[in-house]
Amino acid sequence: MSVIAHLPASDTPAPPPRRRSGKWLPYLLLLPGGLWLTLFFAVPIFQLGATSLYDPSGSLEQGYAMTWAFGNYTDALSQYWPHFARSLVYAGIATVLCLLLGYPLAYAIAQKAGRWKNLMLVCVIAPFFTSFLVRTLAWKTILSDNGAVVGVLRDLHLLDANGRLLATPIAVVLGLTYNFLPFMVLPLYANLDRLDGRLLEAANDLYASPARAFAKVTLPLSMPGLVAGTLLTFIPAAGDYINAELLGTPNEYMIGNVIDSAFLVRLDYPQAAALSFILMAAILAIVFVYIKRAGTDEVV
């Protein structure tokens, strides 16, 4: 019989005491990120909200008084609702185009590229090596009236002799699509690269056609990447102003251009802050509805 069985219960060695400091370790790890978000996100958001309620008759020289002027929101929305609508429409079209272009590309890289996978990924992220402004200026040259693109379209009679692409809504949407395409491709690639090939083999064994296997297996399993990609594309595109500034005219200006002008040109800080809050609220509402409809709450 074992000697341990004859030992009194009091002689059984006790487990080592747990260090009390261990329970605080997760909070300590979260502290740097929490401080960063507090200083550079929460505080600016609070200040922006306060600025949106300042007396609109104030100025930098005279100062601004807190008058809880909620009318700043109604005035901003009534004056610039076309710019809000244009921003959401342009961003929505660009997101759809990014999805149509990005999904096949991401699928090809993840499932078909083989040893060329890393090279293709580098090509996707290569535009990030150049300034956003420089990339948009390059599109201004590409879409110019004397450029090759317009020349080919005129030769194909898709544009008349005086037709143009630059300074049109098409140019703005094309610029948005190009600049934000990697934000669609990368989440889709990350999701499709983890796709279990045995599921597709099982679908083929059950006599599913390639189209049906894609609809029933690949597409549902790639929904988290699709939702993440559309959000990462739509959100920054809706607030962008560089593409409309360089590739369009005032007739194509988005709400980002109005906010930029209000902050830096007209120095109308209450209206600029109110416009910013309305834009954030609209995007949050759209994102919330979209995620609920997509049924992928775990994505965010």
Side-chain angles (χ1 to χ4, degrees):
M1 184 176 295
S2 175
V3 177
I4 298 178
H6 293 282
L7 291 176
S10 59
D11 295 335
T12 303
R18 295 182 59 183
R19 298 178 60 184
R20 296 182 60 85
S21 60
K23 67 178 183 179
W24 298 105
L25 182 59
Y27 300 101
L28 293 176
L29 294 175
L30 291 174
L31 185 60
L35 290 175
W36 180 273
L37 289 175
T38 300
L39 292 176
F40 299 105
F41 181 76
V43 173
I45 286 291
F46 177 81
Q47 181 60 41
L48 189 68
T51 303
S52 69
L53 299 175
Y54 285 164
D55 185 356
S57 62
S59 65
L60 288 177
E61 294 79 10
Q62 301 173 356
Y64 290 95
M66 171 56 77
T67 58
W68 303 97
F70 288 99
N72 291 337
Y73 286 89
T74 56
D75 293 341
L77 190 58
S78 62
Q79 292 182 44
Y80 297 108
W81 68 265
H83 297 81
F84 280 107
R86 189 180 301 126
S87 298
L88 298 179
V89 170
Y90 286 0
I93 296 174
T95 301
V96 172
L97 292 176
C98 284
L99 179 59
L100 295 177
L101 295 172
Y103 199 105
L105 178 59
Y107 183 85
I109 297 174
Q111 300 294 326
K112 306 296 183 181
R115 61 192 181 94
W116 301 103
K117 179 183 296 187
N118 292 335
L119 178 61
M120 294 181 70
L121 282 175
V122 171
C123 291
V124 170
I125 65 175
F128 289 149
F129 301 159
T130 307
S131 167
F132 188 96
L133 182 61
V134 172
R135 300 200 306 268
T136 309
L137 286 172
W139 270 91
K140 188 173 183 178
T141 302
I142 293 170
L143 300 177
S144 64
D145 295 343
N146 298 322
V149 175
V150 172
V152 171
L153 293 177
R154 287 173 178 170
D155 293 339
L156 295 174
H157 302 289
L158 297 176
L159 282 177
D160 57 34
N162 297 321
R164 60 184 322 205
L165 291 179
L166 195 62
T168 65
I170 295 176
V172 177
V173 171
L174 289 177
L176 291 171
T177 302
Y178 167 75
N179 280 307
F180 295 108
L181 180 61
F183 293 98
M184 178 68 74
V185 174
L186 294 178
L188 282 169
Y189 162 77
N191 190 260
L192 290 168
D193 190 51
R194 298 194 302 267
L195 186 65
D196 191 346
R198 294 174 297 179
L199 298 174
L200 295 176
E201 293 177 3
N204 294 331
D205 292 340
L206 295 172
Y207 303 102
S209 64
R212 188 169 180 81
F214 173 81
K216 296 296 183 180
V217 179
T218 304
L219 184 59
L221 292 177
S222 64
M223 280 302 295
L226 190 150
V227 173
T230 51
L231 292 180
L232 289 175
T233 303
F234 177 82
I235 293 173
D240 181 74
Y241 66 96
I242 295 296
N243 288 276
E245 180 75 29
L246 298 180
L247 303 178
T249 67
N251 293 329
E252 287 79 41
Y253 275 3
M254 301 165 65
I255 194 60
N257 301 95
V258 178
I259 295 173
D260 174 69
S261 176
F263 267 123
L264 302 180
V265 179
R266 294 186 284 113
L267 303 181
D268 190 349
Y269 290 168
Q271 186 181 75
L275 289 168
S276 301
F277 254 82
I278 294 173
L279 178 62
M280 286 189 291
I283 291 177
L284 284 175
I286 293 172
V287 168
F288 179 80
V289 172
Y290 174 65
I291 292 176
K292 288 298 183 181
R293 298 271 300 182
T296 53
D297 302 75
E298 67 274 8
V299 174
V300 294

